[in-house]
Amino acid sequence: MATRPVIINFFLEVLITWEKTVQLTSEPLNMEDGEKLYWICEAIDEEKDPECLKLAFHVVEVVMKLFPDPSGLEAQFASEFFEILSKYFPVYFTHGAGDDLNATRDDLSRALMHAFCSTPYFEPFAIPLLLDKLSSSLPLAKLESLKYLDNCIRFYGADRMVRHASAVWLKLKEVIFSLSPEQLLLTSGSPKDAEKNKNQMVSEALNCLKTAITYIDSPDKDLFINLILLDEDIVNKIHSISSAEKSLLSSLEDLAQVHALGSVISILAESSTYFCTRVLQEHLTHLVDILGTSTDYESQCNGSSSAAINYGALYLCVQMLTSCREVALVSYAECSSIKLAKESWWLILEKKLDQLIHLLGSFLTLDSQSEQSMFRQEYVACAVKGLLTLATFPEQCSPLMANAFEDILAMLTSVITSKFENVDLWRLSLKALTSIGSSIVKFNASQKEVIYCRTVVDKIISLLQSYDGSMPLSLRLEASYEVGTVGLNYMLLVARSLEGAVITSISKAKGRMECAEYVAHLFECYSSRVLPWLFTSGGINELALSFAMHLLDEIKDLSMLDRISSQGLLDSLMTGMKLLVGVCTEEQQTLIVQKAYSMVSSVLPLPPKSTTQCLLAVDELVPSHSVQETALIGMLSSVIVGLRLQTPVPDMIVMINLLTVFLLNGKLPAAYGLASIFNKHLHNPEFSHENQLDKILDNILERCFSTVLATSYLKISHSSVDTSNDANFLYMSSGNIPSKIDILSGLAWIGKGLLMRGDEKMKDISMFLLKCLCSGETLASSPAREEESRGSDSSDTSIATSAADAFNVMMSDSEVCLNKKFHARIKPLYKQRFFSTMTPIFLSKIKEATSMTTKLALYRAFGHIISNAPVPAVITEAHQILLVIVESLAKLSVDIQDKDLVYNLLLVLSGMLMDEKGKECILDNIHITISVLTQLVSYPHMMVVRETALQCLVAFSTFPHSKVFPMRLKVLQAAIKALDDKKRAVRQEAVRCRQTWQSFA
């Protein structure tokens, strides 16, 4: 037998020769060419290599298409050619996944299918083969036969396929109706696979049926429709539905049979206007009457049982409605003639329309959540689909009058406004209403749009203005948003309605404490759903600017600010203001920030600009800070947070002074504004060069440092923040610890802004925070101060804890400010650089620390840096920090407040276990690492910590046996203990861990 390259080259040579022959002479195949083609088929029969087979199948396909042979040469060789090709059907692929092949099973199957369809002379041999294979017990053979049959019907044409029409229908019917999961279970391996195979085969069979109805034509245009409508099985099934006193739905198998019958009927009706008319003539009137009888019986029983409702009649009616709409969409231009015809589907439907709408609407009163029937949801879903179908006919072809269309919309809208306790029905109705609206927009149905706006949009959007507590706010927001997605104009209405609801809540909700939560939800919907949708659709325009200006108008007097603060509205309003400003253009932002500053200057006694070239004393600018003034500064800060880099800010130095004073009084929102200013270096002509702003920053930092230090024994040089051992002690009586903690947080935000843009001054903040972490160590090392320090231990601990948390603020991503959404300047790899800079410093401090309190603070701070740093950067330093990570996990796991940090550090450790370099480092410290992980298997404060610890222990199975075996007993004991965990996910991982480690015996 020839080698593969020789055969491939031969195939290519023959193919190129024949293509040239056709291009030059357009002559048919001669006997010599026919013998050569036959030899190719013989070569196919001998060659089993997938690449050769794929090319050979392609040669047969191309040659057969290149030479349409009127002399009968193709017909002469067709039997022999197909006999060889048929041996490869269906294609089974025995090559392994690791084989280096350029041909997959799908490639071969596709090439063979194209070869089957290359010439109509294969029809007498291919169609019987494919129909025979449809009786195969192998799912693959059935699926391949259906795909091939679909393509062959399209290619061979009606003249050749008409004689197979009856056989094709009978075989397809067998697949559609007779295939059960139990039959497939014998060859599929599991019920899930069986159900999947069944769904695939039924889908392919229905596609093939649609192709057959479309392509198999004959002088008798009723040929195929009579095969189906007069088929004994189909007649019996429809008769069974029509004559049943009770619903056919008693099992899932019944449901599947009804769906299969509906699919066949709808495919038939959708094929043409004539077929649609024939189907409706045969069945619609009778089925609607049957459905009416069953629903009348249901109403007499007051909805006590769904057994009387004939689901089969309901489903078939809805399927016919769907078919009518599909025909109307295709025959859009012929609607006038269809309406005028003496007999047409349109007239048949029109006669039964009122009765059908009434019947479908009555199903919306069913309780689809009743325990009496597992199928009630099927009834309701089907009825909603029917109403949706009727309402989405093209306006010119719709059988609905305006009042009938409005009735349907009113039914569905009533569900939204009054039946929200039935969540399934509620969501089905909402989806139907949005689909109807989308259809109106798509077809530009002006008359329907007027009705839709009046009946649906106005009523649903008005729910946002209501304080009625019976309908959950989340559902009101969901309904309004979904209706808004119908079109840009509708979403603009939703946005304005949300704006109005917020403004109304602020101005009129006197003393209502729940107002804060209400406004928070409104802003959440506006910012996370409405604004993004408008951005995508290009409809933002002046919307955000208008909203921001209205908010500022509402809060311009102190009494309103007092009410906002007392009701807890301030946080929601600040968040909303940031988002609104963030989406505006620079020109729009300029208007907003000017208005905000004007409001502040009208309320607070600001000094003249000439006296503010440097920072004023804390009490010099604002002697006292009322609740109203604090709220006003919070709103001003929120405006600044959302500004773009080039947006000019009025009186920048005055504003920085103002924010600094509030920060030094422990008002954290002021820190957000300062952090944004120093991060973005907002454009302002007041700063002739960068050094001027740097000097102001130095002054701010010095004041913050001094204010925090005034409450603790901390080593500090009066000239700078020094970490040397000869620094002097500064002690003052204990002050307002909570405000100092807020100042530390504010410093962290300023440091974050500087860090993100790569400013070297963030080192001053980092060193100061590090000094705060080590404050307990300083006192412990000074016996002379021991007695004095006892009263300030708790304050020092609070300061140290806050300093540790400050590193988390600087390194973690934030939604509050300093992110892309708020136009922050973000330098690439800033986290990695900070991690690399601080690692040697923290390692040194941890090594030097003698106090456990200090060590815990250092572990917390360094843990935040590690867990927020890029994993590759951490793994690069694994040899230095692994033991610190392990010790941190052991020590921090004691305090529930550190649970999130413990989990984050554990994730870093698991990342090391997945990396080869990380494994090498862990290998040298395997005993201590596994010991800590076995402790975390029982971690009581967080389930995911226990689950992740077990996963890490499983990962040790890839380590050398000699290294992990000594720890086997300890790990097994921990895993066995975890088998009794309350959480299923942990128990599953415990089983896996135990099985893995038991195999180490």
Side-chain angles (χ1 to χ4, degrees), residues 238-249 258 287 290-295 298 306-317 363 379 382:
I238 296 179
H239 178 73
S240 175
I241 290 174
S242 302
S243 61
E245 294 181 0
K246 295 184 177 181
S247 170
L248 292 178
L249 288 191
V258 171
L287 287 172
I290 292 295
L291 184 60
T293 303
S294 68
T295 52
E298 171 72 11
S306 66
I309 301 174
N310 194 312
Y311 177 78
L314 172 65
Y315 187 78
L316 290 183
C317 285
F363 281 91
Y379 299 109
C382 193

Side-chain angles (χ1 to χ4, degrees), residues 594-855:
Q594 286 175 346
K595 183 166 187 174
Y597 180 70
S598 175
M599 289 174 52
V600 172
S601 60
S602 67
V603 173
L604 297 178
L606 300 179
K609 183 178 178 182
S610 60
T611 64
T612 58
Q613 295 305 309
C614 61
L615 288 179
L616 302 177
V618 175
D619 296 328
E620 188 176 345
L621 186 59
V622 183
S624 63
H625 302 120
S626 65
V627 172
Q628 301 96 318
E629 292 166 342
T630 301
L632 187 60
I633 291 300
M635 294 299 292
L636 173 64
S637 178
S638 298
V639 171
I640 294 173
V641 166
L643 295 181
R644 299 175 185 272
L645 273 66
Q646 298 302 316
T647 300
V649 177
D651 294 344
M652 178 76 88
I653 296 179
V654 174
M655 203 169 291
I656 292 175
N657 268 287
L658 193 61
L659 294 173
T660 302
V661 170
F662 278 85
L663 170 61
L664 292 171
N665 280 273
K667 310 305 179 186
L668 195 56
Y672 303 150
L674 286 172
S676 296
I677 288 174
F678 292 121
N679 171 264
K680 302 172 188 177
H681 269 193
L682 293 172
H683 178 71
N684 197 288
E686 293 181 55
F687 304 125
S688 56
H689 50 79
E690 193 171 304
N691 290 338
Q692 186 170 359
L693 196 60
D694 289 345
K695 291 177 183 178
I696 295 174
L697 175 60
D698 288 338
N699 200 347
I700 292 173
L701 295 182
E702 183 180 347
R703 292 194 178 200
C704 290
F705 295 162
S706 300
T707 306
V708 173
L709 292 171
T711 65
S712 305
Y713 290 104
L714 294 178
K715 296 187 289 186
I716 183 169
S717 167
H718 291 289
S719 59
S720 64
V721 181
D722 188 13
T723 59
S724 61
N725 292 328
D726 60 353
N728 298 319
F729 285 107
L730 174 66
Y731 173 73
M732 294 180 64
S733 61
S734 180
N736 185 354
I737 295 301
S739 68
K740 309 310 176 186
I741 290 174
D742 287 335
I743 293 173
L744 271 177
S745 297
L747 277 172
W749 281 105
I750 294 174
K752 181 180 181 68
L754 298 173
L755 174 63
M756 292 174 73
R757 71 178 183 88
D759 195 298
E760 292 296 319
K761 288 192 176 294
M762 60 81 45
K763 290 181 181 179
D764 294 342
I765 297 176
S766 301
M767 292 300 102
F768 176 75
L769 293 174
L770 193 62
K771 181 174 288 297
C772 293
L773 292 173
C774 299
S775 59
E777 190 75 11
T778 301
L779 292 173
S781 65
S782 178
R785 301 288 180 176
E786 182 177 357
E787 193 67 29
E788 290 180 340
S789 69
R790 289 176 182 172
S792 63
D793 283 348
S794 61
S795 65
D796 289 329
T797 301
S798 298
I799 294 296
T801 302
S802 300
D805 293 339
F807 284 98
N808 185 40
V809 170
M810 287 197 291
M811 284 288 282
S812 62
D813 298 326
S814 170
E815 289 295 316
V816 178
C817 68
L818 297 176
N819 52 50
K820 290 183 178 180
K821 185 164 48 180
F822 299 137
H823 318 292
R825 292 172 63 179
I826 305 175
K827 200 167 184 178
L829 304 178
Y830 77 91
K831 292 185 179 182
Q832 182 173 333
R833 281 193 295 272
F834 187 68
F835 166 76
S836 300
T837 301
M838 298 305 296
T839 293
I841 300 174
F842 268 96
L843 291 176
S844 174
K845 290 294 181 183
I846 290 171
K847 186 177 180 180
E848 295 171 0
T850 58
S851 165
M852 182 50 65
T853 301
T854 301
K855 277 202 170 185

Side-chain angles (χ1 to χ4, degrees), residues 469-526:
S470 59
M471 184 176 183
L473 178 60
S474 61
L475 293 183
R476 283 185 272 164
L477 291 172
E478 181 180 349
S480 300
Y481 172 76
E482 292 298 332
V483 168
T485 60
V486 167
L488 177 59
N489 291 334
Y490 299 128
M491 191 60 82
L492 289 172
L493 288 174
V494 173
R496 294 190 184 100
S497 182
L498 285 169
E499 177 184 337
V502 170
I503 300 300
T504 302
S505 300
I506 295 172
S507 60
K508 296 183 179 180
K510 297 180 179 179
R512 294 176 66 98
M513 296 302 293
E514 67 271 20
C515 180
E517 184 179 356
Y518 176 68
V519 171
H521 284 299
L522 294 178
F523 265 124
E524 169 64 21
C525 179
Y526 190 92

